[in-house]
Amino acid sequence: MAHEKTVWPGSTQLAPVPAVLVGCGNGKEYKFNLVTVAWAGTVCSDPPQLAIALRPERYSFTPIVRTKEFTVNLPSVKMTDSLDRCGVVSGRDHDKFALCGLTPVPGEKVAAPVVAESPVALECRVTREIGLGSHTLFIADILAVQVDSALIDDKGKFDIDQAELVAYAHGHYYTLGECIGHFGYSVRRKPGNVIRK
């Protein structure tokens, strides 16, 4: 069966992507702040690194440039209202933690705040900044990961279903939905299944 395609100009159609709350500021020269970011992702496993992309005009941009630190806080479904609000109001005018009823707690490795209510928080130190055009890409080492202890099962694994994390696609927030497979399941050895290399 033929799959007819409609061709659009190049644009930001990649979806879904994570929707995260980036914590910044050191509580001294720069107040604690949060910014909603949908353009974030893992870029390296050894050393563990991720990247976020921010517009230079965002209030959080300068604290990240100056301190070289930030946190990436994965929100749960019940945090979606806060996630959205932190993306539409500015830290220039609001204390976003107070506005959203969220709690800043110290990172173990960075001065930037971790959101206590977030199921998972990654503490990051910037290693590179790359100006791309409308956005600057911050590549950062992941120095520590804080995980809500209630979400770790008896085998020491993170229970992602219980975390109820949020995804973002073309202006809308989504839950992750049911698991439909795992990495390598299509070639996993089964009785009578011969895997050719």
Side-chain angles (χ1 to χ4, degrees):
M1 178 164 80
H3 296 281
E4 185 175 324
K5 304 289 187 187
T6 298
V7 179
W8 292 344
S11 60
T12 56
Q13 293 298 312
L14 179 65
V17 292
V20 301
L21 285 169
V22 171
C24 63
N26 55 15
K28 298 174 184 175
E29 299 92 344
Y30 302 100
K31 71 177 183 178
F32 289 159
N33 190 46
L34 294 168
V35 60
T36 302
V37 173
W39 293 349
T42 303
V43 295
C44 189
S45 56
D46 186 14
Q49 293 182 320
L50 59 74
I52 62 170
L54 277 181
R55 290 179 179 269
E57 59 267 27
R58 297 299 293 264
Y59 179 74
S60 298
F61 185 86
T62 298
I64 292 174
V65 168
R66 298 281 172 81
T67 66
K68 305 293 186 195
E69 295 179 344
F70 61 86
T71 62
V72 172
N73 302 272
L74 309 185
S76 63
V77 169
K78 62 186 175 186
M79 295 173 64
T80 307
D81 186 73
S82 298
L83 174 68
D84 186 66
R85 189 167 301 186
C86 286
V88 296
V89 301
S90 174
R92 289 183 183 90
D93 310 313
H94 300 278
D95 176 339
K96 293 188 189 181
F97 280 98
L99 181 69
C100 296
L102 298 175
T103 310
V105 296
E108 292 291 320
K109 302 289 186 181
V110 299
V114 166
V115 179
E117 293 79 5
S118 176
V120 180
L122 298 92
E123 301 181 31
C124 304
R125 181 162 296 134
V126 176
T127 59
R128 274 184 280 175
E129 298 171 29
I130 305 170
L132 301 174
S134 63
H135 288 65
T136 295
L137 188 72
F138 293 96
I139 299 174
D141 287 340
I142 303 168
L143 305 180
V145 180
Q146 294 193 28
V147 181
D148 188 333
S149 297
L151 299 175
I152 299 175
D153 66 20
D154 56 3
K155 295 179 182 176
K157 291 186 175 181
F158 174 58
D159 188 341
I160 196 167
D161 292 330
Q162 294 300 315
E164 298 184 315
L165 301 179
V166 177
Y168 182 81
H170 309 306
H172 297 84
Y173 304 104
Y174 294 89
T175 58
L176 294 185
E178 67 177 297
C179 177
I180 58 172
H182 64 271
F183 180 74
Y185 85 99
S186 64
V187 295
R188 186 178 60 187
R189 191 177 299 277
K190 299 174 184 175
N193 183 20
V194 177
I195 300 174
R196 293 181 172 83
K197 295 183 179 179

